[in-house]
Amino acid sequence: MIGAGIFAALGPAARAAGPGLLIGLTIAAVVAYCNATSSARLAARYPASGGTYLYGRKRLGDFWGYLAGWGFVVGKTASCAAMALTVGAYAWPSQAHPIAAASVVALTALNYTGVQKSARLTRLIVAMVLAVLTAIVIAALRSPTTSLAHLHVAGATASGVLQAAGLLFFAFAGYARIATLGEEVLDPARTIPRAIPLALGIALAVYAAVAVTALGVLGPDRLAAAEAPLSEVARTAGPKWLVATVQVGAVVAALGSLLALLLGVSRTTLAMARDRHLPHGLSAVHPKFHVPHRAELLIGAVVTVVAACADVRSAIGFSSFAVLLYYAIANASALTLRPAENRPPRAIPVIGLVGCLALAFTLPVSSVVSGTGVLSVGAAAYGLRRAHGATRRARSKRGGSDD
């Protein structure tokens, strides 16, 4: 969770909520906790890869599992673009789009050859990000320009706070890994329920400290206008060396997140292609590198185009909309669990389901419209595929009876 999201999401969230940013952050954390808990109980019941794509099919029916998988693929594809744009915004602001597109091409090439982000590298990136964020907070506390007057919530609206929560939900991405890796965890029934609130609590504390710092140094208006918010904080409150440190930390974190996201989206595409929910040709695995090379090339091409054209706020908004609906299906699936299947307290999936839908449909109108449109295209493709399959089966039966 603690990665590039905090470098990217603060500006768009401040634009939506202004001084209500911290309330939005708390709401996003609560919804994330409910989602993660529901996913954990489902993962314990179905200890296999696939996440909500699997849970939806098992608990709600084939269509809902497909819609969750489609939402994950398109939502995380937008997340890839957002991470690439974060690389560009912090590395070379005036050339953000070309840098973003180039980073996608480079990492797609790495993934194609089977290179993956190791656990050791992940720990190194997290340590670097935490060190950078700590330096920003300390510099702000020592700066005479920091003002607690910026932390008031007067003027914040309910719709703005909910929209900010939906955008900040993007920064908590990653918590579901705890649940979906349940089959690889020792004593998952004891470990996962402890790990989820602990991880979310740590992330919320770190994000809250950084958000308070950014608001205190820049105020809601300057924070909302900043393309690289934490670089602007460092430039205003810290020594000169801190700006370069923040830029390096943000670029490394965003590249690490982008590498993992490209890997994850291509694997979900592979799974859906094997089930023929996407073109079956995308399930091809390279004979030498043992990777789904067609899926990786397709995802890489799409992300490159989006990163070259979109802005980071649009990418985050679209991603949040699709992923929130993905988790709405996870919570709906958890509601169908029986007590004997280790169902969570009913309030958790209810709050998660309602929270996901509320945050999704209070996002910027452009995100809601584009997200609804892309999900509708996926639903229509599913319907056409099912109708085509039914027609083929009917013809086959008629042919068999004629014989």
Side-chain angles (χ1 to χ4, degrees):
M1 282 181 284
I2 298 177
I6 190 63
F7 291 92
L10 281 180
R15 204 175 305 167
L21 175 65
L22 297 176
I23 301 174
L25 182 65
T26 303
I27 294 172
V30 170
V31 174
Y33 171 77
C34 294
N35 296 347
T37 302
S38 293
S39 296
R41 301 300 176 92
L42 289 161
R45 177 66 178 167
Y46 303 103
S49 60
T52 304
Y53 171 61
L54 172 66
Y55 313 147
R57 293 177 69 189
K58 294 289 188 181
R59 308 301 307 194
L60 303 176
D62 193 56
F63 170 75
W64 294 106
Y66 164 83
L67 191 64
W70 177 248
F72 180 88
V73 168
V74 298
K76 291 302 182 179
T77 298
S79 294
C80 292
M83 289 299 94
L85 288 164
T86 301
V87 173
Y90 280 89
W92 194 352
S94 64
Q95 299 295 325
H97 285 89
I99 294 295
S103 66
V104 176
V105 172
L107 292 187
T108 299
L110 281 177
N111 274 341
Y112 191 95
T113 59
V115 174
Q116 299 182 17
K117 190 173 72 170
S118 68
R120 184 175 297 176
L121 179 59
T122 300
R123 295 188 191 102
L124 180 62
I125 291 173
V126 171
M128 179 183 293
V129 172
L130 285 173
V132 169
L133 297 179
T134 301
I136 291 172
V137 172
I138 292 173
L141 290 174
R142 299 178 61 182
S143 172
T145 62
T146 304
S147 173
L148 296 180
H150 295 312
L151 302 182
H152 66 84
V153 297
T157 64
S159 61
V161 167
L162 289 176
Q163 186 176 122
L167 294 167
L168 287 165
F169 182 82
F170 176 84
F172 286 97
Y175 58 83
R177 300 287 176 86
I178 301 170
T180 55
L181 294 177
E183 60 185 303
E184 302 175 41
V185 176
L186 293 174
D187 193 9
R190 177 174 177 268
T191 302
I192 291 176
R194 294 174 63 188
I196 287 173
L198 180 62
L200 282 165
I202 292 170
L204 178 60
V206 172
Y207 291 172
V210 175
V212 167
T213 296
L215 283 171
V217 172
L218 300 179
D221 293 337
R222 284 182 63 195
L223 179 59
E227 294 295 329
L230 297 190
S231 285
E232 193 64 27
V233 171
R235 191 172 291 109
T236 302
K240 291 183 179 179
W241 61 264
L242 185 57
V243 177
T245 302
V246 169
Q247 290 173 324
V248 171
V251 168
V252 169
L255 285 172
S257 297
L258 178 57
L259 181 63
L261 281 167
L262 288 169
L263 189 72
V265 175
S266 64
R267 269 53 180 184
T268 302
T269 302
L270 167 68
M272 295 184 71
R274 282 176 171 167
D275 293 337
R276 298 187 182 274
H277 287 309
L278 290 175
H280 190 62
L282 295 175
S283 65
V285 175
H286 196 282
K288 178 181 178 181
F289 299 123
H290 308 292
V291 298
H293 56 292
R294 292 179 182 172
E296 288 189 343
L297 290 175
L298 175 63
I299 296 300
V302 172
V303 175
T304 300
V305 172
V306 175
C309 303
D311 64 86
V312 71
R313 185 170 186 258
S314 298
I316 290 175
F318 180 91
S319 172
S320 295
F321 181 85
V323 176
L324 281 164
L325 292 187
Y326 170 89
Y327 281 114
I329 294 172
N331 284 296
S333 300
L335 275 172
T336 69
L337 291 171
R338 298 184 297 273
E341 296 174 304
N342 196 26
R343 184 181 67 197
R346 191 168 292 276
I348 288 177
V350 169
I351 293 171
L353 175 59
V354 174
C356 284
L357 294 176
L359 296 189
F361 286 97
T362 51
L363 284 166
V365 174
S366 59
S367 299
V368 175
V369 171
S370 60
T372 302
V374 172
L375 290 175
S376 297
V377 168
Y382 175 88
L384 290 173
R385 185 183 65 82
R386 288 293 295 266
H388 179 66
T391 301
R392 289 182 61 185
R393 287 192 295 272
R395 288 176 177 172
S396 178
K397 288 182 180 178
R398 286 198 300 269
S401 62
D402 289 342
D403 291 340

